[in-house]
Amino acid sequence: MAERFESVDDVTRRLRTVDYLADSSISGVVFLADRLEKPVLVEGPAGVGKTELAKALSRYLDRALVRLQCYEGLDEAKALYEWNYRKQLLRIQAEERGAGWESVQEDIFSEDFLLARPLMTAIASEEPVVLLIDEIDKTDQEFEAMLLELLSDFQISIPELGRIDATTQPVVVLTSNNSRELTEALKRRCLYLWLDYPEVEHELAIVRLHTPELSETVARKLVELVQQVRGLDLKKPPSIAESIDWARALLLLGADDIDADVFRDTMSIIVKHRTDLDTVAERVGVKLSDVNAPL
Ligand SMILES: Nc1ncnc2c1ncn2[C@@H]1O[C@H](COP(=O)(O)OP(=O)(O)OP(=O)(O)O)[C@@H](O)[C@H]1O
Ligand SMILES: [Mg+2]
């Protein structure tokens, strides 16, 4: 089991050992969340490292990652627990004739007949885990309300069984793409981390971490171009995930520079809307073919 984080810099240092490059705002929130034992709500655009932060924490802490992927219509039965109806039915059928309903009922609503879903698995686990509640903004407000009991008291109420308290306390990370405003009540229980597109040097470090074989000059040019593309008014600006993909593609193609031709042939890796492609070709591609223009 990994030791506790000693300071904000310590978080940065240790997450680096598991291949996650945190800037001071990420490390600051992670440090406080660890000390205050509060969940972290990470919000931000797609592909900026929200999910990866939870994965990196699980790697560093050497804890299992329990992941609840949220989607529209997700309910308690899929997130929390469900009665195992088939097993209950078999139990009732196996019961000798004449056995009292009272005793059967008591039996089939016991823990043996529960199917634990991610939230329950996370708090009932013998060993503490990292609980990732991914893309919480995809669910509705009722679901959020149900989460509140869990996040503030680490307990679950099951009508037939009563209260189930956490055996161990998980480190909790929630992520959101900001597709809807989350409730104040949920935000109040969490520490908030806004993850945005990184600065040039930080993104360069991330790209180089994932593709160390790519030369520094090409990597830097790539990051500068991506940042320029982000500056345009696009439907979907490229994320870190796309920068990494682009770097991998350039490596595969053996490109030792990103000139106008290479850019034109590979820009669909970072730009994925037809209208965006036109804008980017016109605004960035053309500039690349003009050798005298500054990048
Ligand atoms: N700080 C970082 N250090 C190392 N790798 C990073 C970092 N940030 C992002 N990445 C890499 O970028 C990619 C995208 O990250 P991730 O999947 O966590 O994005 P996300 O924010 O969860 O996106 P989405 O909203 O689409 O789910 C991953 O391959 C991840 O390894
Ligand atoms: Mg994600």
Side-chain angles (χ1 to χ4, degrees):
M1 180 77 194
E3 326 146 36
R4 284 204 103 142
F5 297 115
E6 278 160 19
S7 63
V8 176
D9 287 343
D10 189 41
V11 176
T12 309
R13 235 182 348 260
R14 295 192 196 190
L15 287 183
R16 190 187 295 266
T17 65
V18 289
D19 289 346
Y20 191 85
L21 302 184
D23 61 14
S24 55
S25 67
I26 300 179
S27 299
V29 172
V30 169
F31 176 69
L32 286 179
D34 180 46
R35 284 299 159 98
L36 301 171
E37 301 193 334
K38 278 190 160 232
V40 183
L41 168 62
V42 194
E43 204 157 34
V48 290
K50 302 185 294 296
T51 304
E52 190 62 30
L53 175 60
K55 291 186 183 169
L57 282 172
S58 113
R59 289 198 295 273
Y60 170 68
L61 297 167
D62 199 16
R63 293 183 177 196
L65 180 75
V66 176
R67 180 172 185 168
L68 175 66
Q69 183 66 49
C70 300
Y71 51 86
E72 216 184 310
L74 175 66
D75 60 5
E76 286 189 23
K78 288 285 169 287
L80 210 52
Y81 71 89
E82 199 168 13
W83 288 109
N84 188 341
Y85 298 120
R86 275 214 265 183
K87 196 170 165 191
Q88 285 178 324
L89 199 63
L90 283 173
R91 172 76 182 80
I92 295 169
Q93 284 170 347
E95 187 67 36
E96 283 174 43
R97 258 168 219 286
W101 168 241
E102 290 283 307
S103 72
V104 180
Q105 187 189 23
E106 224 163 75
D107 194 29
I108 61 173
F109 288 110
S110 64
E111 283 189 39
D112 282 349
F113 292 84
L114 270 186
L115 288 174
R117 300 300 184 202
L119 295 180
M120 186 152 159
T121 307
I123 74 160
S125 165
E126 296 280 319
E127 298 290 329
V129 301
V130 172
L131 170 63
L132 166 63
I133 303 176
D134 214 9
E135 309 191 0
I136 175 75
D137 52 328
K138 299 249 168 68
T139 64
D140 51 26
Q141 293 200 354
E142 283 92 82
F143 187 85
E144 259 185 60
M146 187 277 292
L147 266 185
L148 294 179
E149 179 188 4
L150 184 91
L151 294 183
S152 45
D153 306 326
F154 289 98
Q155 64 186 34
I156 292 174
S157 306
I158 301 180
E160 298 86 349
L161 272 185
R163 211 178 70 195
I164 296 198
D165 289 311
T167 352
T168 49
Q169 189 158 332
V171 167
V172 184
V173 178
L174 299 104
T175 79
S176 157
N177 272 91
N178 208 12
S179 70
R180 74 171 169 85
E181 192 67 36
L182 300 172
T183 61
E184 286 303 320
L186 181 76
K187 287 191 171 169
R188 215 164 38 238
R189 280 163 180 83
C190 302
L191 293 184
Y192 186 74
L193 174 63
W194 173 259
L195 265 195
D196 215 331
Y197 301 118
E199 304 282 311
V200 175
E201 294 305 322
H202 191 210
E203 184 160 16
L204 181 60
I206 297 174
V207 167
R208 301 216 66 206
L209 178 79
H210 287 266
T211 51
E213 307 88 346
L214 193 69
S215 83
E216 158 125 41
T217 343
V218 178
R220 183 173 290 277
K221 189 159 179 186
L222 175 151
V223 170
E224 282 169 0
L225 282 165
V226 168
Q227 301 246 345
Q228 253 186 53
V229 170
R230 267 183 213 138
L232 305 173
D233 186 21
L234 300 184
K235 270 200 184 129
K236 166 72 181 72
S239 67
I240 304 179
E242 270 114 12
S243 302
I244 296 171
D245 283 347
W246 198 20
R248 290 202 174 118
L250 293 179
L251 255 186
L252 282 173
L253 297 172
D256 49 15
D257 183 25
I258 310 177
D259 56 20
D261 290 340
V262 171
F263 186 77
R264 193 191 51 238
D265 293 344
T266 55
M267 71 177 185
S268 60
I269 296 173
I270 56 166
V271 185
K272 296 168 181 168
H273 271 281
R274 234 203 72 70
T275 47
D276 287 353
L277 280 171
D278 293 343
T279 318
V280 172
E282 199 176 300
R283 304 279 297 277
V284 183
V286 169
K287 228 196 262 180
L288 274 175
S289 34
D290 178 359
V291 282
N292 298 317
L295 189 64

